[in-house]
């Protein structure tokens, strides 16, 4: 039986390679990766192999050297294969140019993944109908694995979607700041039991959001975790799952991701500091909602409010001062989004109404808030992050449509 080889150029954008490997898997007997020292140090090729459940040969080239790549491709015995297919989507510009010319001359089929409309193109041999649609989609786990993440799902609350929907509807009608003390108390007890002594401080809030404690006049540690934010993640995730008819493998809610570090990093915390914190050693990031749809990756950060409080000293006294956390949320989302590839779709959902947030009887404070939010919105635009506030959430019949 004739052997068929699929050649993939390795770069930081791993998912186009995963997509074509999955698409052509039934036709391919062997795999070859054209990679570089930098990609090997990062472990990028291994991520692709892990995501696809395959192993292959490699050719390591100088990423900007025409002659080095031409020589190493010429040294490889391609005559062993009855058919050769090539994915040009990865690699450097130099690697792409050399590969295109080399494989065209030996009669290989050459493909390019567009990253748009779930399509890929057969660029050689040239045909009239050279655009095709992927029939196999990468799963969410495959996508994350291809970018070097290991996954640690967190258990959901076990409370119903209907309960989360009640809370959502309540948040859409109330002014959150009217219940800020109760919310802050619950947040301070996140993952801990809220005992009967504190229950009177949150009673009215629980009543208005229509939440009945499992045990009278106290909240368990699971309930404080749910009420301090998990309910919103579950509401958004489960509603999108229902809208798009997603399987459990296509959407993750409240998931910890650990990024595989490069085999060789420029700055090692242990070397520089002599010790590392628990946070550094864990290297985890918690993602609220992630899902795959039509071969596209989406992530959503869920914030019930963009207002938090910090203790500051004023005139010798310590006071709790509100501040806007949207900017730092965008920074976090942006830094993570860069690790998810060029075509990742990132959004922040919040139950703060931006117009209401900026209102203030004092004209100076109102103008300051407007300027602050304009700066934050510009930052979100630069980072390609979609902002969805309370007003938009209330008025839309489809959360997914808000992402488009």
């Amino acid at each position: 039986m004739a052997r068929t080889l699929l050649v993939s150029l390795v770069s930081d954008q791993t998912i186009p390679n995963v997509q074509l490997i999955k698409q052509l898997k039934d036709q391919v007997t062997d795999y070859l990766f054209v990679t570089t020292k930098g990609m090997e140090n990062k472990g990028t090729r291994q991520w692709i192999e892990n995501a696809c459940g395959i192993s292959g040969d490699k050719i390591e080239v100088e990423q900007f050297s025409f002659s080095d790549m031409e020589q190493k491709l010429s040294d490889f015995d391609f005559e062993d294969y009855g058919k050769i297919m090539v994915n040009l989507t990865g690699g450097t510009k130099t690697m792409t140019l050399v590969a295109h010319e080399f494989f065209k001359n030996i009669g290989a089929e050459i493909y390019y993944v567009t990253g748009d409309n779930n399509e890929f193109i057969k660029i050689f041999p040239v045909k009239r109908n050279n655009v095709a649609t992927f029939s196999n989609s990468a799963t969410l786990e495959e996508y994350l694995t291809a970018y070097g993440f290991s996954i640690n799902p967190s258990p959901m609350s076990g409370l119903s979607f209907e309960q989360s929907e009640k809370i959502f509807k309540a948040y859409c009608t109330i002014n959150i700041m009217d219940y800020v003390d109760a919310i802050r108390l619950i947040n301070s007890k996140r993952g801990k039991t809220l005992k009967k002594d504190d229950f009177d401080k949150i009673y009215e809030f629980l009543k208005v959001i229509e939440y009945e404690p499992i045990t009278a006049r106290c909240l368990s540690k699971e309930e404080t975790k749910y009420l301090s934010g998990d309910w919103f993640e579950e509401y958004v995730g489960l509603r999108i799952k229902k809208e798009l008819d997603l399987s459990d493998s296509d959407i993750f809610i409240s998931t910890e991701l650990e990024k595989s570090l490069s085999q060789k990093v420029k700055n090692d915390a242990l070397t520089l500091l002599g010790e590392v914190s628990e946070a550094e050693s864990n290297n985890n990031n918690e993602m609220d909602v992630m899902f795959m749809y039509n071969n596209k990756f989406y992530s959503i950060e869920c914030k019930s409010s963009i207002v938090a409080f910090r203790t500051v000293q004023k005139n010798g006294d310590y006071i709790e001062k509100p501040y806007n956390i949207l900017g730092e949320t965008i920074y976090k989302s942006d830094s993570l989004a860069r690790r998810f590839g060029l075509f990742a779709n990132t959004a922040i959902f919040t139950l703060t109404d931006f117009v209401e947030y900026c209102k203030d009887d004092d004209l100076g404070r109102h103008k300051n808030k407007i300027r602050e939010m304009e700066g934050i919105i510009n930052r979100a635009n630069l980072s390609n992050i979609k902002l969805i506030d309370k007003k938009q959430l209330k008025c839309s019949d489809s959360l997914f449509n808000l992402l488009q």
Side-chain angles (χ1 to χ4, degrees), residues 312-369:
V312 298
Q313 190 173 15
K314 185 177 181 180
N315 299 327
D317 295 323
Y318 289 95
I319 61 171
E320 296 295 303
K321 184 177 180 180
Y323 70 103
N324 190 331
I325 62 170
L326 187 55
E328 62 188 49
T329 304
I330 290 170
Y331 177 81
K332 174 195 168 186
S333 296
D334 183 33
S335 62
L336 283 170
R338 294 179 194 177
R339 304 182 185 186
F340 293 132
L342 287 175
F343 305 110
N345 299 274
T346 308
I348 298 171
F349 284 11
T350 177
L351 287 167
T352 296
D353 183 315
F354 292 160
V355 173
E356 291 296 322
Y357 169 79
C358 292
K359 283 183 179 178
D360 201 297
D361 293 335
D362 183 281
L363 184 60
R365 285 196 298 265
H366 171 70
K367 288 183 176 179
N368 285 339
K369 285 185 176 181

Side-chain angles (χ1 to χ4, degrees), residues 295-309:
N295 251 336
K296 290 186 178 181
F297 173 83
Y298 296 83
S299 69
I300 303 172
E301 183 82 8
C302 300
K303 293 292 182 186
S304 56
S305 174
I306 65 169
V307 179
F309 291 82

Side-chain angles (χ1 to χ4, degrees), residues 223-399:
E223 288 176 291
T224 57
K225 188 171 181 292
Y226 173 74
L227 291 171
S228 60
D230 286 12
W231 74 267
F232 191 30
E233 299 170 19
E234 292 186 15
Y235 172 77
V236 170
L238 292 174
R239 184 169 158 184
I240 288 176
K241 182 181 180 182
K242 184 177 180 180
E243 285 180 12
L244 302 178
D245 193 26
L246 299 176
S247 66
D248 289 343
S249 62
D250 285 327
I251 185 165
F252 294 163
I253 301 169
S254 187
T255 306
E256 274 194 356
L257 298 180
E258 183 174 354
K259 178 73 171 181
S260 301
L261 293 177
S262 303
Q263 297 172 22
K264 183 178 180 181
V265 294
K266 289 185 177 180
N267 299 298
D268 179 65
L270 181 60
T271 300
L272 293 172
L273 302 176
E275 59 180 312
V276 294
S277 66
E278 184 178 346
E280 172 66 20
S281 59
N282 286 340
N283 194 35
N284 289 349
N285 298 283
E286 184 172 317
M287 304 297 296
D288 293 346
V289 178
M290 298 177 290
F291 65 96
M292 291 290 292
Y293 186 67
N294 283 342
N295 251 336
K296 290 186 178 181
F297 173 83
Y298 296 83
S299 69
I300 303 172
E301 183 82 8
C302 300
K303 293 292 182 186
S304 56
S305 174
I306 65 169
V307 179
F309 291 82
R310 57 186 164 209
T311 304
V312 298
Q313 190 173 15
K314 185 177 181 180
N315 299 327
D317 295 323
Y318 289 95
I319 61 171
E320 296 295 303
K321 184 177 180 180
Y323 70 103
N324 190 331
I325 62 170
L326 187 55
E328 62 188 49
T329 304
I330 290 170
Y331 177 81
K332 174 195 168 186
S333 296
D334 183 33
S335 62
L336 283 170
R338 294 179 194 177
R339 304 182 185 186
F340 293 132
L342 287 175
F343 305 110
N345 299 274
T346 308
I348 298 171
F349 284 11
T350 177
L351 287 167
T352 296
D353 183 315
F354 292 160
V355 173
E356 291 296 322
Y357 169 79
C358 292
K359 283 183 179 178
D360 201 297
D361 293 335
D362 183 281
L363 184 60
R365 285 196 298 265
H366 171 70
K367 288 183 176 179
N368 285 339
K369 285 185 176 181
I370 290 288
R371 282 193 292 268
E372 172 193 49
M373 287 300 295
E374 286 174 343
I376 288 171
I377 291 168
N378 288 336
R379 171 63 195 272
N381 287 334
L382 288 171
S383 300
N384 199 29
I385 294 173
K386 181 83 170 178
L387 299 179
I388 309 293
D389 74 341
K390 176 179 174 178
K391 179 168 67 272
Q392 297 173 78
L393 290 170
K394 284 172 61 176
C395 297
S396 178
D397 292 330
S398 169
L399 296 187

